[in-house]
Amino acid sequence: MHTAKPGYDKLIFELSAPGRHAHSLPECDVPVSDPAQLLPAQHLRATSAELPEVSEVDVIRHYSRLSQMNYGVDTHFYPLGSCTMKYNPKINEDMARLPGFLRLHPLTPEAASQGALQLMHELALDLAEVSGMDHVSLQPAAGAQGELAGVLMIRAYHLSRGERRTKVLIPDSAHGTNPASTALAGFSVVELKSEANGDVDLLDLERHLGPDVAAFMITQPNTLGLFESKIHQITEMCHAQGVQVYMDGANFNAILGITRPGDLGFDVCHFNLHKTFTTPHGGGGPGSGPVGIKDHLAPFLPTPVVVKEGDEYALDWSRPQSIGKLQAFWGNFGMHVRAWTYIRTMGPDGLRAVSDNAVLNANYVLRRLEDHYDRSASGPCMHECVISARRQKKLGITAMDIAKRLLDLGFYAPSTYFPLIVEEALMIEPTETESKETLDEFCDALIQIAREAQENPQIILDAPVTTPVRRLDQTGAARQPRLKWTPPAKR
Amino acid sequence: MRYISNTPAQQRDMLATIGVGSIEDLLARIPAKARLSRPLNVPAAMAESDLIRHLRRLSAKNANADDFACFLGGGSYDHTIPSPINHLILRGEFFTAYTPYQPEASQGTLRSIFEYQTMMAELTGMDVANASLYDGASSVAEAVLMAHAVTERKAAVISKGVNPLYRQVVETYCEGPAIRLKSAPLADGVTDLEALQKAVGAQTAAVVVQYPNFFGCLEDVKTAGEIAHAAGALLIIVADPINLGLLTPPGALGADLVVGEGQGLGVPMSFGGPNLGVFAAKQELVRRMPGRLVGATVDLDGKRGFVLTLQTREQHIRREKATSNICTNVALCALMATIYVSVMGKEGLRKVGELSTAKAHYAAQAFAKIPGVELTFKAPFFKEFALTLSKSPERVVKRLIKDRILAGVPLKTLDRAYKDSLLVAVTEKRTREEIDAYAAALAAAVA
């Protein structure tokens, strides 16, 4: 699987040789070139920064080799649950690299950036339609920042009505960012117990709802991959008490064209463009986390808002009740171009087919695995499924061990130990872009591992053996953190 | 459907295996009332050639830095982007991977982040840097939150020399924890240190200054740090790492935290995002830092390897008690910066700073000779400076676009105090010819 030079173990600093260089900078074409004549001495670095001195071929070869020490969607099935690792279309990249988009400065006069503003305006409209929301702000840089924006708008809304609500209710099955964003927005977090299938426990919700509750935040479909069927009841119960309902959009890939959060009664939802709308995950970002809201929250949208006035597009800053800004500029525009391109490539029927096939693939995987692993809930799932390695645990094999063995068998691993409410959880999200053949290979591998757990557990405990490094000492890394390279002489 | 692999025959097989008649049967948990009964009202699918034609037209409406001489700054800069960056980041194993949850299958990403952390620590003169945050503005906000958590104090003083867009983001982030923000005014383009002294008190968690500041001026941040430290507050220095190949590293000037925007390091301007939030700290603060950290360790066979570490600070473990809500970093942008710094190296990064300074000073001198144009401030500046114009800066900008010159940022929209000023940035890419053409066009515009 790996084509990197066997045993390659270098850092760019270790390729350095004094005097080698890869850059090509212009000669100085103005009369005074010496900064010492232009700037007071105390502002100039006494000695040069210790940076690598390498040639261009060193750079290309080193990072090509590093890339070969990675699994990505382009090379591997990547069933990482809740992350929606679907194929990233190549045309998205070509379009994001058009010079008018890639090489555009954010403070270019509006009249000279009409194309970019138009694209943002149209993307916001499309996302509003897909979600059934009234307005969308594209500014948040990632899902977690979208959550923060949403919760801050909810806070501003209540305050504008003279209500100081202090609590936000969040189920125990939620993504960790939900409580973290909520706490950052100044609320105290109240954790609600979920039912065994991940559904909201309505009695528990009823007990906690009250005039001090600002919002209820849930993931739909939930983190067990199930559609919360009592959703209308939930939103009505919340609204009766003046509580705003927030939808974590991490699982949006399951519902395109099938149902819309706005129609389900949600007041706010965020989108993860890097999941549902095929912008690349990039090894951990950049993401993009637009947030959609209903009309009553519109005064609180982050500034500026892209508006259309006649045939012209503009940035509207005059929004006195706005929660303010979240990013220096207008959002991760490069991701907006990719998401726009994707939506236009797919059209309404294509988007619906995405969710249909994502659901089909997840149910197929679940059906093929359910005789060999415990399933976490009954009934069909949506676009992802959670299985438990409870049975294998009794044989001394954990979810983590299974994940490592999958790496040897040519697959990235599912999410492990999430959601927290399932013992030895393995959360699998195949996505619509995978074929039946790939899913069969993957299921065969997991079934083989279940058999190995009974017959030859050592092979699982020894895994991975095909990767550039084997199980890494995480405890040691945390106990004595080594967070940067130091030259051997200085060690 | 081009990105969906199952054929209709396969779909039927799969449904049969599952034991249902149709995909609709799998959606039975969704009540009828919840269903969308019509197709989504988004535009019909476009063929690839039509889509490309359409987007090329939209793209062509934007005055980009390939076709125009770009003197715009204010937090985003037109620096050289060496060719290897695009080739390397587009390798699918980097591009289409995610957070390195399985370190054995993610050593490429982890190693590159470890290199990035080392480079940022070296450039800023700090002990540790994290794996990156969203952008410069949110990094400043996270730094203020961190100072609040470390000092258990409820106020911060921010210099008016800090980018106004960053200050707005800090305000948003400080709303929830109710951190009181005070601004320290400027005197001739740099923080008024006497006023700063008065603004700082026993409740000040942090003093925030920018170096060089939003107006390009080089501040006496060392004295600002002494004022902060005497009051028991942390000094947060906002800096652009690309400048630190030449300028004194903030770590040597007393910074406890160094944050800023790393876009100049090989990341395209892309209308303002994605960007690269840099975050570096002193060693003793490492366990309070927001965001991801990659550490070196060994594997079962004693071989060197890299993992995400100190994750107990993060939201997936600590949930509402985490140091920050930030979940991802901007790994791909951090990779671009890592490749950029590798290509530029020790000598190249210094040269970028030297060229930018030389050309900016040449431009400032040439512009200031024009009647109706003067430098707004006298303080020493680096690669960016403000001009006070006798004619409306917006109109001058509009006029110069006709000459294919993006003249700068009129400051009015960002800071009302400078309604007659234009902020001009000059990178190493600007040529003497472009600067001379700008001077001629400017002279005509203000005459």
Side-chain angles (χ1 to χ4, degrees), chain B residues 55-81:
Chain B
L55 278 179
R56 275 176 178 278
R57 274 191 209 133
L58 270 193
S59 160
K61 290 184 178 179
N62 305 319
N64 72 76
D66 279 346
D67 300 334
F68 290 72
C70 180
F71 291 87
L72 293 162
S76 185
Y77 300 92
D78 180 30
H79 283 291
T80 308
I81 300 184

mmCIF file of all heavy atoms in Angstrom, chain B residues 55-81:
data_model
loop_
_atom_site.group_PDB
_atom_site.id
_atom_site.type_symbol
_atom_site.label_atom_id
_atom_site.label_comp_id
_atom_site.label_asym_id
_atom_site.label_seq_id
_atom_site.Cartn_x
_atom_site.Cartn_y
_atom_site.Cartn_z
ATOM 1 N N LEU B 55 -18.610 29.941 -14.699
ATOM 2 C CA LEU B 55 -17.759 30.397 -13.594
ATOM 3 C C LEU B 55 -16.577 31.237 -14.081
ATOM 4 O O LEU B 55 -16.124 32.129 -13.370
ATOM 5 C CB LEU B 55 -17.285 29.212 -12.755
ATOM 6 C CG LEU B 55 -18.309 28.734 -11.716
ATOM 7 C CD1 LEU B 55 -17.772 27.548 -10.931
ATOM 8 C CD2 LEU B 55 -18.703 29.849 -10.757
ATOM 9 N N ARG B 56 -16.105 30.959 -15.267
ATOM 10 C CA ARG B 56 -15.057 31.816 -15.821
ATOM 11 C C ARG B 56 -15.565 33.241 -15.975
ATOM 12 O O ARG B 56 -14.851 34.201 -15.730
ATOM 13 C CB ARG B 56 -14.621 31.316 -17.207
ATOM 14 C CG ARG B 56 -13.573 30.242 -17.169
ATOM 15 C CD ARG B 56 -13.318 29.765 -18.605
ATOM 16 N NE ARG B 56 -12.291 28.768 -18.646
ATOM 17 C CZ ARG B 56 -10.990 29.031 -18.638
ATOM 18 N NH1 ARG B 56 -10.574 30.272 -18.605
ATOM 19 N NH2 ARG B 56 -10.110 28.056 -18.677
ATOM 20 N N ARG B 57 -16.832 33.352 -16.392
ATOM 21 C CA ARG B 57 -17.415 34.693 -16.537
ATOM 22 C C ARG B 57 -17.523 35.387 -15.188
ATOM 23 O O ARG B 57 -17.203 36.565 -15.067
ATOM 24 C CB ARG B 57 -18.798 34.599 -17.185
ATOM 25 C CG ARG B 57 -18.719 34.594 -18.681
ATOM 26 C CD ARG B 57 -20.102 34.767 -19.303
ATOM 27 N NE ARG B 57 -20.083 34.099 -20.595
ATOM 28 C CZ ARG B 57 -20.998 33.272 -21.046
ATOM 29 N NH1 ARG B 57 -22.076 33.023 -20.313
ATOM 30 N NH2 ARG B 57 -20.874 32.712 -22.211
ATOM 31 N N LEU B 58 -17.984 34.653 -14.200
ATOM 32 C CA LEU B 58 -18.088 35.263 -12.860
ATOM 33 C C LEU B 58 -16.708 35.673 -12.361
ATOM 34 O O LEU B 58 -16.524 36.745 -11.787
ATOM 35 C CB LEU B 58 -18.693 34.267 -11.865
ATOM 36 C CG LEU B 58 -20.202 34.216 -11.676
ATOM 37 C CD1 LEU B 58 -20.534 33.403 -10.428
ATOM 38 C CD2 LEU B 58 -20.814 35.600 -11.568
ATOM 39 N N SER B 59 -15.750 34.788 -12.560
ATOM 40 C CA SER B 59 -14.385 35.043 -12.114
ATOM 41 C C SER B 59 -13.826 36.296 -12.785
ATOM 42 O O SER B 59 -13.139 37.108 -12.157
ATOM 43 C CB SER B 59 -13.525 33.813 -12.426
ATOM 44 O OG SER B 59 -12.167 34.137 -12.458
ATOM 45 N N ALA B 60 -14.171 36.465 -14.052
ATOM 46 C CA ALA B 60 -13.623 37.591 -14.822
ATOM 47 C C ALA B 60 -14.179 38.943 -14.358
ATOM 48 O O ALA B 60 -13.650 39.993 -14.694
ATOM 49 C CB ALA B 60 -13.915 37.388 -16.306
ATOM 50 N N LYS B 61 -15.246 38.915 -13.577
ATOM 51 C CA LYS B 61 -15.795 40.180 -13.050
ATOM 52 C C LYS B 61 -14.980 40.706 -11.880
ATOM 53 O O LYS B 61 -15.265 41.790 -11.368
ATOM 54 C CB LYS B 61 -17.233 39.963 -12.576
ATOM 55 C CG LYS B 61 -18.215 39.735 -13.696
ATOM 56 C CD LYS B 61 -19.616 39.618 -13.133
ATOM 57 C CE LYS B 61 -20.620 39.436 -14.263
ATOM 58 N NZ LYS B 61 -21.985 39.288 -13.736
ATOM 59 N N ASN B 62 -14.032 39.903 -11.401
ATOM 60 C CA ASN B 62 -13.290 40.280 -10.201
ATOM 61 C C ASN B 62 -11.891 40.764 -10.568
ATOM 62 O O ASN B 62 -11.187 40.117 -11.330
ATOM 63 C CB ASN B 62 -13.186 39.078 -9.258
ATOM 64 C CG ASN B 62 -14.553 38.500 -8.932
ATOM 65 O OD1 ASN B 62 -15.500 39.245 -8.710
ATOM 66 N ND2 ASN B 62 -14.658 37.178 -8.918
ATOM 67 N N ALA B 63 -11.509 41.902 -9.977
ATOM 68 C CA ALA B 63 -10.188 42.477 -10.254
ATOM 69 C C ALA B 63 -9.148 41.719 -9.439
ATOM 70 O O ALA B 63 -8.964 41.979 -8.257
ATOM 71 C CB ALA B 63 -10.183 43.958 -9.894
ATOM 72 N N ASN B 64 -8.491 40.768 -10.094
ATOM 73 C CA ASN B 64 -7.603 39.896 -9.329
ATOM 74 C C ASN B 64 -6.152 40.343 -9.447
ATOM 75 O O ASN B 64 -5.788 41.124 -10.334
ATOM 76 C CB ASN B 64 -7.770 38.449 -9.797
ATOM 77 C CG ASN B 64 -7.180 38.224 -11.160
ATOM 78 O OD1 ASN B 64 -5.961 38.143 -11.293
ATOM 79 N ND2 ASN B 64 -8.016 38.156 -12.191
ATOM 80 N N ALA B 65 -5.319 39.791 -8.570
ATOM 81 C CA ALA B 65 -3.931 40.247 -8.456
ATOM 82 C C ALA B 65 -3.023 39.706 -9.552
ATOM 83 O O ALA B 65 -1.842 40.033 -9.583
ATOM 84 C CB ALA B 65 -3.387 39.871 -7.084
ATOM 85 N N ASP B 66 -3.557 38.887 -10.464
ATOM 86 C CA ASP B 66 -2.766 38.533 -11.649
ATOM 87 C C ASP B 66 -2.862 39.635 -12.703
ATOM 88 O O ASP B 66 -1.904 39.919 -13.398
ATOM 89 C CB ASP B 66 -3.279 37.228 -12.283
ATOM 90 C CG ASP B 66 -2.758 36.001 -11.553
ATOM 91 O OD1 ASP B 66 -1.808 36.147 -10.748
ATOM 92 O OD2 ASP B 66 -3.320 34.909 -11.759
ATOM 93 N N ASP B 67 -4.041 40.220 -12.795
ATOM 94 C CA ASP B 67 -4.290 41.189 -13.864
ATOM 95 C C ASP B 67 -4.149 42.636 -13.405
ATOM 96 O O ASP B 67 -4.152 43.548 -14.226
ATOM 97 C CB ASP B 67 -5.705 40.984 -14.427
ATOM 98 C CG ASP B 67 -5.882 39.583 -15.006
ATOM 99 O OD1 ASP B 67 -4.863 38.996 -15.406
ATOM 100 O OD2 ASP B 67 -7.022 39.083 -15.023
ATOM 101 N N PHE B 68 -4.092 42.838 -12.107
ATOM 102 C CA PHE B 68 -3.987 44.188 -11.549
ATOM 103 C C PHE B 68 -2.774 44.245 -10.622
ATOM 104 O O PHE B 68 -2.415 43.236 -10.012
ATOM 105 C CB PHE B 68 -5.247 44.525 -10.731
ATOM 106 C CG PHE B 68 -6.473 44.726 -11.562
ATOM 107 C CD1 PHE B 68 -7.102 43.640 -12.180
ATOM 108 C CD2 PHE B 68 -7.021 45.994 -11.741
ATOM 109 C CE1 PHE B 68 -8.240 43.817 -12.961
ATOM 110 C CE2 PHE B 68 -8.157 46.181 -12.521
ATOM 111 C CZ PHE B 68 -8.763 45.092 -13.131
ATOM 112 N N ALA B 69 -2.155 45.412 -10.512
ATOM 113 C CA ALA B 69 -1.056 45.578 -9.556
ATOM 114 C C ALA B 69 -1.676 45.788 -8.178
ATOM 115 O O ALA B 69 -2.368 46.779 -7.944
ATOM 116 C CB ALA B 69 -0.209 46.770 -9.948
ATOM 117 N N CYS B 70 -1.454 44.844 -7.291
ATOM 118 C CA CYS B 70 -2.200 44.828 -6.031
ATOM 119 C C CYS B 70 -1.413 45.488 -4.894
ATOM 120 O O CYS B 70 -0.403 44.958 -4.449
ATOM 121 C CB CYS B 70 -2.567 43.393 -5.676
ATOM 122 S SG CYS B 70 -3.488 43.258 -4.146
ATOM 123 N N PHE B 71 -1.905 46.634 -4.450
ATOM 124 C CA PHE B 71 -1.308 47.335 -3.306
ATOM 125 C C PHE B 71 -2.236 47.246 -2.094
ATOM 126 O O PHE B 71 -2.182 48.070 -1.199
ATOM 127 C CB PHE B 71 -1.032 48.803 -3.662
ATOM 128 C CG PHE B 71 0.076 48.990 -4.665
ATOM 129 C CD1 PHE B 71 -0.168 48.945 -6.033
ATOM 130 C CD2 PHE B 71 1.391 49.201 -4.238
ATOM 131 C CE1 PHE B 71 0.851 49.119 -6.964
ATOM 132 C CE2 PHE B 71 2.424 49.369 -5.171
ATOM 133 C CZ PHE B 71 2.159 49.321 -6.527
ATOM 134 N N LEU B 72 -3.105 46.249 -2.093
ATOM 135 C CA LEU B 72 -4.040 46.069 -0.983
ATOM 136 C C LEU B 72 -3.382 45.255 0.116
ATOM 137 O O LEU B 72 -2.662 44.294 -0.156
ATOM 138 C CB LEU B 72 -5.292 45.323 -1.464
ATOM 139 C CG LEU B 72 -6.198 46.053 -2.458
ATOM 140 C CD1 LEU B 72 -7.105 45.065 -3.172
ATOM 141 C CD2 LEU B 72 -7.018 47.099 -1.732
ATOM 142 N N GLY B 73 -3.674 45.650 1.371
ATOM 143 C CA GLY B 73 -3.161 44.894 2.520
ATOM 144 C C GLY B 73 -4.239 44.814 3.582
ATOM 145 O O GLY B 73 -5.343 44.380 3.303
ATOM 146 N N GLY B 74 -3.899 45.241 4.786
ATOM 147 C CA GLY B 74 -4.908 45.237 5.849
ATOM 148 C C GLY B 74 -5.224 43.849 6.366
ATOM 149 O O GLY B 74 -6.304 43.618 6.902
ATOM 150 N N GLY B 75 -4.310 42.896 6.184
ATOM 151 C CA GLY B 75 -4.530 41.553 6.736
ATOM 152 C C GLY B 75 -4.504 40.451 5.700
ATOM 153 O O GLY B 75 -4.588 39.275 6.033
ATOM 154 N N SER B 76 -4.396 40.806 4.423
ATOM 155 C CA SER B 76 -4.279 39.812 3.357
ATOM 156 C C SER B 76 -3.304 40.391 2.337
ATOM 157 O O SER B 76 -3.413 41.577 1.992
ATOM 158 C CB SER B 76 -5.654 39.558 2.719
ATOM 159 O OG SER B 76 -5.579 38.511 1.771
ATOM 160 N N TYR B 77 -2.343 39.588 1.895
ATOM 161 C CA TYR B 77 -1.246 40.158 1.102
ATOM 162 C C TYR B 77 -0.924 39.324 -0.131
ATOM 163 O O TYR B 77 -1.008 38.099 -0.099
ATOM 164 C CB TYR B 77 0.011 40.303 1.975
ATOM 165 C CG TYR B 77 -0.236 41.201 3.162
ATOM 166 C CD1 TYR B 77 -0.661 40.658 4.372
ATOM 167 C CD2 TYR B 77 -0.118 42.577 3.050
ATOM 168 C CE1 TYR B 77 -0.945 41.485 5.462
ATOM 169 C CE2 TYR B 77 -0.405 43.410 4.125
ATOM 170 C CZ TYR B 77 -0.818 42.855 5.328
ATOM 171 O OH TYR B 77 -1.108 43.671 6.382
ATOM 172 N N ASP B 78 -0.513 40.038 -1.170
ATOM 173 C CA ASP B 78 -0.150 39.386 -2.424
ATOM 174 C C ASP B 78 1.347 39.071 -2.430
ATOM 175 O O ASP B 78 2.128 39.752 -3.086
ATOM 176 C CB ASP B 78 -0.521 40.325 -3.593
ATOM 177 C CG ASP B 78 -0.170 39.736 -4.948
ATOM 178 O OD1 ASP B 78 -0.195 38.498 -5.075
ATOM 179 O OD2 ASP B 78 0.133 40.516 -5.869
ATOM 180 N N HIS B 79 1.730 38.043 -1.694
ATOM 181 C CA HIS B 79 3.124 37.596 -1.717
ATOM 182 C C HIS B 79 3.283 36.469 -2.746
ATOM 183 O O HIS B 79 2.299 35.859 -3.177
ATOM 184 C CB HIS B 79 3.530 37.080 -0.329
ATOM 185 C CG HIS B 79 3.816 38.169 0.662
ATOM 186 N ND1 HIS B 79 4.906 38.997 0.568
ATOM 187 C CD2 HIS B 79 3.139 38.569 1.775
ATOM 188 C CE1 HIS B 79 4.903 39.858 1.583
ATOM 189 N NE2 HIS B 79 3.834 39.624 2.331
ATOM 190 N N THR B 80 4.536 36.194 -3.079
ATOM 191 C CA THR B 80 4.859 35.117 -4.019
ATOM 192 C C THR B 80 4.358 33.774 -3.487
ATOM 193 O O THR B 80 4.510 33.476 -2.302
ATOM 194 C CB THR B 80 6.397 35.012 -4.154
ATOM 195 O OG1 THR B 80 6.891 36.308 -4.456
ATOM 196 C CG2 THR B 80 6.797 34.015 -5.217
ATOM 197 N N ILE B 81 3.766 32.975 -4.376
ATOM 198 C CA ILE B 81 3.389 31.610 -3.992
ATOM 199 C C ILE B 81 4.175 30.648 -4.888
ATOM 200 O O ILE B 81 3.841 30.472 -6.060
ATOM 201 C CB ILE B 81 1.872 31.384 -4.127
ATOM 202 C CG1 ILE B 81 1.133 32.371 -3.199
ATOM 203 C CG2 ILE B 81 1.516 29.933 -3.788
ATOM 204 C CD1 ILE B 81 -0.367 32.200 -3.151
#
